[in-house]
Amino acid sequence: MSGIRIALLGTGILGHSIAERLLHTYDSLYVYNRSRSKAEDLLSLGATLCNTPAEAIAAADALFLVLTDAKTTKTVLASAEEKTLFEKKTFFQLGTISPMEAEELNAYITQKGGVFIELPVLGSKNEAKNGSLLLMFGANEEQYHKWHDFLSSLGKVFFVAEPKKAAVLKLALNQLIISSMVGFSLSFAMVIKENIDPKLFMNILRASALYCSTYDKKLPRLVKKDYELANFTLDLLLKDLKLCLEETERLSIESAPLEISRTIIEQALKRGYGQKDYSALFEAIFSPKP
């Protein structure tokens, strides 16, 4: 899709990495971030920094929304007051939001003459930089075929058909991130406190059907108690957990496991791990406080 003008709003951990990937693939990219300093390093890669969301929207045909949550996304979009700015523009919403929020954003953008595509992704900065994200495409089949090749530079695109269902899929997958980390932390704490060799534990685990590659990714952090340079923060994990709880209530699904995880995460947050890697929840399991 040559000649397309692209903009990206939101250069947090994921957004910044996606911007790097887009600049690696395309000649230019318009970028907006509320804290300009967090996007200035993209200038050397060819990005054009915009002073307002309206400036970014006006400059582009396709826009990636990679903002903290639905509330922030609505606020940023609402600041671009001119209705004509949205006409014939395609907005890809990549953040983790609720199904209801996806539908609300869809209605908001469509009403202004734009096209909304719910596009949550699985993966973080490393996957974004090397183009191996998993993208859940929530829009009709016509849009899917139109944008598939363009989006494939970011990773593998899965057709979901409806914005609402794409949002639910993302929450279902993020729930596994939560439960996997809690479960692994509990098992690893048992091993450490009983003075069992962690290598023996991991060798058995890797040879079993219980193994998940996330365990090896997070193992060095737990061993060294190093939660800096987060790919995904504990604050954001709690935000997603709350969205999962809303969805289980809507679907009449038992939420007790999530409630337990919420308690653990909130204990870790009280100890100051909010902006650390989400594996820091291990600390609340390993050394629980009354």
Side-chain angles (χ1 to χ4, degrees), residues 7-265:
L8 182 142
L9 283 66
T11 57
I13 294 173
L14 179 63
H16 193 286
S17 300
I18 290 174
E20 290 181 55
R21 180 66 182 179
L22 290 169
L23 286 164
H24 176 76
T25 309
Y26 299 93
D27 294 333
S28 63
L29 177 71
Y30 297 92
V31 174
Y32 168 78
N33 193 66
R34 288 180 296 175
S35 299
R36 183 183 174 92
S37 61
K38 294 183 179 180
E40 286 181 339
D41 62 316
L42 294 171
L43 286 168
S44 63
L45 299 179
T48 299
L49 296 193
C50 300
N51 294 317
T52 65
E55 185 181 339
I57 294 171
D61 306 304
L63 297 103
F64 290 87
L65 306 174
V66 200
L67 297 153
T68 305
D69 51 31
K71 181 180 179 181
T72 303
T73 301
K74 291 174 186 175
T75 300
V76 167
L77 292 176
S79 68
E81 296 179 354
E82 294 181 34
K83 180 179 178 181
T84 54
L85 283 178
F86 289 70
E87 291 182 355
K88 299 181 181 180
K89 312 279 176 134
T90 300
F91 294 79
F92 299 100
Q93 197 297 121
L94 278 70
T96 303
I97 61 177
S98 75
M100 183 179 297
E101 290 169 334
E103 291 187 329
E104 289 173 353
L105 281 171
N106 185 15
Y108 178 81
I109 289 172
T110 301
Q111 186 180 25
K112 289 179 174 289
V115 175
F116 176 81
I117 295 171
E118 176 68 5
L119 191 70
V121 304
L122 196 62
S124 189
K125 62 182 181 182
N126 292 331
E127 291 77 13
K129 288 180 180 180
N130 63 31
S132 62
L133 290 170
L134 304 179
L135 303 94
M136 291 152 266
F137 192 98
N140 63 44
E141 194 168 356
E142 179 184 355
Q143 291 294 332
Y144 172 73
H145 290 300
K146 177 181 179 179
W147 293 104
H148 176 271
D149 290 347
F150 168 69
L151 294 171
S152 292
S153 65
L154 297 177
K156 187 172 183 178
V157 187
F158 294 84
F159 178 58
V160 183
E162 298 176 31
K164 177 181 178 181
K165 290 184 178 180
V168 173
L169 268 175
K170 171 60 171 169
L171 291 179
L173 290 163
N174 276 23
Q175 188 284 135
L176 287 175
I177 294 174
I178 298 166
S179 59
S180 294
M181 194 66 237
V182 170
F184 181 65
S185 295
L186 179 58
S187 294
F188 195 68
M190 293 169 67
V191 168
I192 295 300
K193 291 207 170 186
E194 193 56 45
N195 294 316
I196 298 171
D197 185 355
K199 292 182 180 179
L200 174 62
F201 168 67
M202 290 303 301
N203 285 340
I204 296 171
L205 181 58
R206 293 187 192 107
S208 76
L210 304 173
Y211 177 70
C212 169
S213 61
T214 298
Y215 302 157
D216 266 316
K217 289 181 181 179
K218 297 303 179 183
L219 179 64
R221 290 187 179 274
L222 305 194
V223 171
K224 299 177 183 178
K225 295 185 177 293
D226 179 9
Y227 309 111
E228 301 296 330
L229 302 175
N231 289 334
F232 189 55
T233 67
L234 199 58
D235 276 340
L236 289 176
L237 191 71
L238 181 60
K239 185 267 291 185
D240 290 356
L241 187 150
K242 290 177 179 177
L243 292 175
C244 289
L245 282 170
E246 291 176 10
E247 192 60 13
T248 55
E249 182 178 355
R250 186 182 73 85
L251 296 173
S252 298
I253 296 172
E254 176 58 66
S255 63
L258 279 171
E259 292 288 1
I260 294 170
S261 295
R262 179 177 183 170
T263 299
I264 292 168
I265 293 171

